[in-house]
Amino acid sequence: MDDGGEASKYGERVHEFLEYRLKENVELPQDIAHYEVLCTTVEKIANGGELSIEKELVLTEELKPTGWWEPDAWLRSKLDILVLRGDTAYVMDWKTGKRNPDFFQMQMFACQVFKHFPQVQKCKTSLVWLKHLQMDTEEYTREQSNQMWADIMKKIRRIYDSAENDVWPARPSGLCRFCPARHDCDYAAL
Ligand code: SF4
């Protein structure tokens, strides 16, 4: 069995049903009905605000908003949940894997939100671990954007350098067991 493939199929299915539930109020199937509590929580947060599901936010290289398929699209993000309420945004990301509160992705989402919605001064982000219904949260302010962009750019530059020099150093981690190349990789951490 390919654990990675199975886990990602499960993740896609859960994402799909949470989307139906929140967009069209379609009841969750029985095996994932326990996620109803998440949907009602999202609805409560969104009360009096604007709720978007699977919201696509895209920036050009000059960090200007653009469309997903536009030729100048450079940084694409898809936010599972985005709520805009006054000067505060709430971002949630559904996670079906093992709990690993790495907030880099959420920092990037917060930066996207600040670029797209000038009224937003505060962005509250949550990683929602579906398996055990746990949540890790971090809050970012517009004042922190410059530092966050500097961190993002550092990572992006590393990718550009690798592409330019065609050097892709292996980075073994707990994720190796989901990697399709793990059986041929000399560095796999299995
Ligand atoms: S198995 Fe090898 S290629 Fe795959 S993630 Fe691990 S180190 Fe990288």
Side-chain angles (χ1 to χ4, degrees), residues 145-169:
S145 307
N146 286 349
Q147 185 53 52
M148 292 198 291
W149 274 116
D151 294 343
I152 294 167
M153 290 307 181
K154 222 189 283 170
K155 290 207 180 196
I156 291 175
R157 255 193 307 273
R158 271 212 301 267
I159 297 170
Y160 274 138
D161 285 349
S162 283
E164 227 166 76
N165 303 309
D166 201 18
V167 175
W168 302 94

Side-chain angles (χ1 to χ4, degrees), residues 30-47:
Q30 213 171 2
D31 61 315
I32 56 169
H34 52 293
Y35 296 145
E36 176 60 25
V37 66
L38 291 175
C39 299
T40 47
T41 304
V42 169
E43 285 168 340
K44 268 189 210 148
I45 294 172
N47 192 14

